[in-house]
Each structure stands twice: as C-alpha cells, then as structure tokens.
Amino acid sequence: DGGITQSPKYLFRKEGQNVTLSCEQNLNHDAMYWYRQDPGQGLRLIYYSQIVNDFQKGDIAEGYSVSREKKESFPLTVTSAQKNPTAFYLCASSMAGPTDTQYFGPGTRLTVL
Amino acid sequence: GQNIDQPTEMTATEGAIVQINCTYQTSGFNGLFWYQQHAGEAPTFLSYNVLDGLEEKGRFSSFLSRSKGYSYLLLKELQMKDSASYLCAPLPNDYKLSFGAGTTVTVRA
C-alpha cells in the first residue's frame, strides 16, 4: 500500500522542549512539504524539499528545522524558539515539484502545554 | 505574499449545486489547485487549472480566469459526504504553494 504516514496523530509537549514530527512516504516522490494549519486559517508552508539533502524555507520557517537525508523521510523539528507551536501539522509529497498534485499525510496535532 | 479570498461558509441542500468563488493576487502564476478537506483530516486533491476555462471532472468542475485572478469550484448533485472545507491554492512564481482559509460547505438533507 503506497502512501504517506505521519506519527503520532496527537502529541503533547511541555513548553521549552524541542519535538520532532515524523513523515514517511513510499510513493517514490522526490518532493516533500511541511505545512501548519491553525483554526480558521489556511495551510501555511513551513519548509519544502525537492531532492535529498536539499530543502528550502517556506513562509513561516522561523522556529522550525528539517532534514532530508533519505528520499522517503522528511522529519520536522519544532524548536523552543517557535513562539506558538500548538497547531495541526501536515506533511505532503509530490512526484517532482509544486506543479504536481500533493498527497497529504493524516497530520499530527501538536499541543504544547 | 499572496492574497486569497474565498467565502467562509456556504450551505446548500442535498442534490443542489453550489459555486465556491476564489479571487487571488499572486506574484506570478503557475496554476491553481482546489483541495477538499473534511474536518480533522488531510486535504485531498480535486483539481488543477493552468489555462483559462472550465474543466469538468464528474460532479466537480473548476473554472479559471487568469486575467481576472478568479477561479470557482462548482459542486453539482450535492451529497451529504460533500460537507467539507474547500481550499483554493494558487501557485506563484516562487512555487511556494499557500492555501486560502477555505470555504466550509454544509449540505443539508
């Protein structure tokens, strides 16, 4: 079964702690993306990567970091520098780049207490 | 940044037609996506328009006018399962896709 997975679905962390959200895809897609969604708002792009070992900042990259060591994996770290980390985080992948359809994972709802 | 405007909410009856409008202002343009998102779930792809005109795909159609910075998504023969949020997402020249806040469609029996 091909798809994109994110885990866990719900995550709770204390303020001041870094947390890493996982994203894995077995679609053989080159491009991967991280978005953040807040209530009543659209998805906002955090980071994206078009190939292994390369990634670009999106519109709201401050307080986040990513790595792309393998084609299948694009983990997102929410650092303590991110002022409002509580949100719904969505990972997506597409065949080659942004003009291709993006397939989304089920999302991780992060709550920082 | 991008400016994306779509209505917040729409309500319609089962079997009816609903048109969701989206106006946008972007730095350059490389097409416009529409996604559907059910509450608490991930968005799923509906359509991608690059050229002007109407593209029909079953009960859903999408229209684009690049000169007017305008698109609409037309949902026909509405079903209860169509109750969801519909996200308009133009792709600008920097290829950083961002989404509108979405239009929540409620289908009533």
Side-chain angles (χ1 to χ4, degrees):
Chain A
D1 246 340
I4 181 164
T5 58
Q6 293 182 244
S7 61
K9 192 160 176 70
Y10 298 95
L11 189 56
F12 296 87
R13 277 293 181 270
K14 289 184 180 177
E15 198 172 335
Q17 290 181 334
N18 290 357
V19 60
T20 297
L21 312 184
S22 80
C23 177
E24 305 277 332
Q25 54 98 0
N26 60 4
L27 299 167
N28 201 31
H29 285 172
D30 284 320
M32 296 186 75
Y33 313 81
W34 273 106
Y35 293 91
R36 168 185 173 136
Q37 188 173 34
D38 294 282
Q41 295 191 38
L43 281 69
R44 291 182 289 167
L45 183 65
I46 305 173
Y47 269 98
Y48 67 101
S49 166
Q50 290 208 232
I51 53 171
V52 174
N53 292 323
D54 186 56
F55 47 82
Q56 307 293 328
K57 289 182 179 180
D59 297 320
I60 55 163
E62 188 177 343
Y64 299 97
S65 66
V66 293
S67 62
R68 186 88 188 275
E69 296 174 6
K70 297 187 299 181
K71 188 175 184 177
E72 303 78 25
S73 179
F74 191 40
L76 173 76
T77 297
V78 185
T79 75
S80 55
Q82 168 49 233
K83 291 178 183 168
N84 295 299
T86 294
F88 187 44
Y89 289 88
L90 286 157
C91 178
S93 70
S94 67
M95 182 88 67
T99 56
D100 298 315
T101 299
Q102 293 187 27
Y103 295 87
F104 285 81
T108 292
R109 193 167 295 279
L110 173 66
T111 302
V112 176
L113 306 168
Chain B
Q2 299 180 72
N3 220 348
I4 306 164
D5 191 32
Q6 47 181 132
T8 306
E9 293 179 344
M10 300 182 77
T11 301
T13 308
E14 207 173 4
I17 298 173
V18 72
Q19 178 174 314
I20 304 169
N21 295 323
C22 172
T23 57
Y24 61 89
Q25 290 177 313
T26 57
S27 301
F29 182 77
N30 290 287
L32 186 142
F33 290 87
W34 281 95
Y35 279 81
Q36 180 192 57
Q37 185 178 26
H38 285 97
E41 296 182 10
T44 54
F45 170 80
L46 290 177
S47 65
Y48 176 49
N49 293 61
V50 179
L51 302 176
D52 290 351
L54 183 69
E55 289 200 11
E56 299 186 72
K57 200 186 288 186
R59 294 188 299 113
F60 293 4
S61 303
S62 55
F63 171 84
L64 176 68
S65 168
R66 289 171 294 172
S67 62
K68 294 181 180 176
Y70 169 68
S71 174
Y72 69 72
L73 181 70
L74 194 69
L75 315 180
K76 292 181 274 191
E77 299 168 23
L78 277 174
Q79 301 176 8
M80 299 300 285
K81 67 179 181 179
D82 298 330
S83 292
S85 188
Y86 292 85
L87 312 175
C88 170
L91 186 63
N93 272 352
D94 64 5
Y95 291 95
K96 293 180 184 178
L97 190 65
S98 285
F99 294 72
T103 299
T104 299
V105 172
T106 302
V107 181
R108 294 189 173 159

